[in-house]
Amino acid sequence: MIVIITGVSGSGLTTAINALNDSGFYCIDNLPIEMIIPTLESLNITNNSTFRGYAFGVHLHDLENVNKFVGMHKELGARGQLDVVFLTAESSELMTRYSTTRRPHPLLHQGGNFWQVITEEREILLPVEGLANIIIDTTGLPHHDLVVKIERRYSNGSLSRKLNVSLVSFGFKHGQYKPLDSLFDVRFLQNPYFVPELRKKTGIDKEVNDYIMSHEMAKECINRLANWHKWILPKYYEEGKHYFRIGVGCTGGKHRSVCIAEQLAKQIESFAFDYVIVNVSHRDIDLP
């Protein structure tokens, strides 16, 4: 598949092309118009299955390049399934965005005021807008909502982005683990360190796990943490996040934190969120 992302300046072209990149497309932004077809030829798109497709962010600011694009549209379609996405937004919204970011509009160097160049660009882009397979108005559309729209369009209705959930156990006496999105101190649980036959074992060992989880406090801890993450992980995913880092700390990082991190990982996996990938690591498990 060949995707062309274009539209009026300030309507979210960069956000859209980044969303496609995260969805498994090979993306090139702001390539000269005349280089698109030679680039596709060099990529040998018919024989490359590494990527879901190829996407180009096309920034058109003058009639000459608009005519070039219109002229090559049919040839692009002959090289594979072509989808032209045209982004737009209300002029007042575009003015607000540019004033917020303090970036100049690409046509301002030609003279005129902001409103005039926005109107001029719309007129120049009318032929391209007429070729679009879909027009997305980003007025009032939050960044992550545009990302979701793009992802859904190119993933057969199911989001392809993953939320990588990393659980890390550690010992506070060896220093707090950073950065984290959630941090939980489990030093209030019964400590196997004070049980001679368990001291040299770790939270991965069945005997230590059974000892910790035999206490009602540990069971309640896991239930509360599981319910919290069952609620919060979809919120982070809907926000467009790719990573969520959970830290579980105890004194030495060998027993309680290891056990709870392992148990919580199993709980999160049991939610069967198809977009979640769970990884567990134990920073201090081998330290004395």
Side-chain angles (χ1 to χ4, degrees):
M1 171 178 278
I2 303 168
V3 179
I4 302 294
I5 301 286
T6 188
V8 299
S9 301
S11 59
L13 273 68
T14 301
T15 297
I17 201 72
N18 287 340
L20 278 170
N21 184 69
D22 293 339
S23 296
F25 279 75
Y26 185 97
C27 300
I28 303 177
D29 194 21
N30 211 13
L31 188 70
I33 298 297
E34 55 271 15
M35 291 299 297
I36 293 179
I37 289 179
T39 299
L40 287 171
E41 291 175 345
S42 67
L43 291 171
N44 192 19
I45 65 172
T46 57
N47 296 321
N48 194 329
S49 59
T50 305
F51 303 100
R52 174 169 293 182
Y54 298 87
F56 297 89
V58 178
H59 303 253
L60 302 168
H61 307 305
D62 58 76
L63 195 56
E64 179 182 356
N65 278 314
V66 166
N67 289 334
K68 287 181 181 178
F69 178 77
V70 172
M72 73 166 59
H73 180 264
K74 181 178 287 188
E75 185 175 354
L76 284 172
R79 291 177 177 274
Q81 182 183 353
L82 176 65
D83 199 40
V84 179
V85 179
F86 189 93
L87 304 182
T88 187
E90 293 180 3
S91 297
S92 57
E93 176 95 355
L94 295 174
M95 293 182 70
T96 299
R97 292 177 185 177
Y98 272 106
S99 62
T100 301
T101 61
R102 299 184 179 181
R103 294 185 59 200
H105 190 283
L107 297 183
L108 270 179
H109 70 278
Q110 298 178 5
N113 60 47
F114 213 168
W115 197 270
Q116 288 174 331
V117 296
I118 290 175
T119 302
E120 179 185 349
E121 185 181 46
R122 289 192 192 282
E123 294 175 354
I124 291 173
L125 291 173
L126 281 175
V128 179
E129 186 175 0
L131 295 174
N133 298 94
I134 182 174
I135 298 173
I136 301 177
D137 189 339
T138 64
T139 304
L141 193 68
H143 171 95
H144 63 84
D145 285 355
L146 176 57
V147 170
V148 170
K149 277 182 177 287
I150 295 296
E151 289 178 335
R152 287 195 186 279
R153 182 169 179 82
Y154 299 104
S155 56
N156 298 319
S158 61
L159 294 176
S160 59
R161 174 171 45 87
K162 300 296 182 182
L163 181 64
N164 294 274
V165 178
S166 298
L167 293 98
V168 181
S169 73
F170 66 93
F172 281 102
K173 76 175 186 179
H174 302 297
Q176 184 174 313
Y177 188 91
K178 296 179 180 180
L180 294 170
D181 298 296
S182 289
L183 171 60
F184 301 99
D185 183 346
V186 296
R187 286 177 289 188
F188 62 90
L189 299 177
Q190 292 288 334
N191 194 350
Y193 178 84
F194 298 109
V195 180
E197 60 268 28
L198 299 179
R199 180 174 296 180
K200 293 185 178 181
K201 296 181 183 292
T202 73
I204 294 178
D205 293 310
K206 184 178 185 302
E207 299 91 335
V208 173
N209 178 81
D210 290 347
Y211 173 82
I212 294 172
M213 297 309 299
S214 67
H215 296 86
E216 289 301 319
M217 188 84 72
K219 295 176 183 177
E220 183 177 356
C221 174
I222 287 295
N223 287 335
R224 288 177 178 269
L225 292 181
N227 288 334
W228 165 251
H229 287 94
K230 189 173 185 178
W231 179 79
I232 197 65
L233 291 179
K235 308 302 179 187
Y236 265 71
Y237 185 73
E238 291 165 8
E239 186 66 20
K241 303 296 184 182
H242 295 267
Y243 304 97
F244 190 86
R245 297 152 296 188
I246 304 169
V248 184
C250 65
T251 304
K254 296 177 70 71
H255 299 105
R256 293 167 291 180
S257 62
V258 172
C259 170
I260 296 301
E262 290 284 340
Q263 290 289 331
L264 182 55
K266 291 177 182 177
Q267 289 291 322
I268 293 174
E269 288 176 340
S270 74
F271 301 157
F273 292 146
D274 57 3
Y275 52 83
V276 167
I277 299 174
V278 181
N279 296 289
V280 188
S281 61
H282 307 294
R283 189 190 71 178
D284 303 327
I285 195 171
D286 294 322
L287 296 181

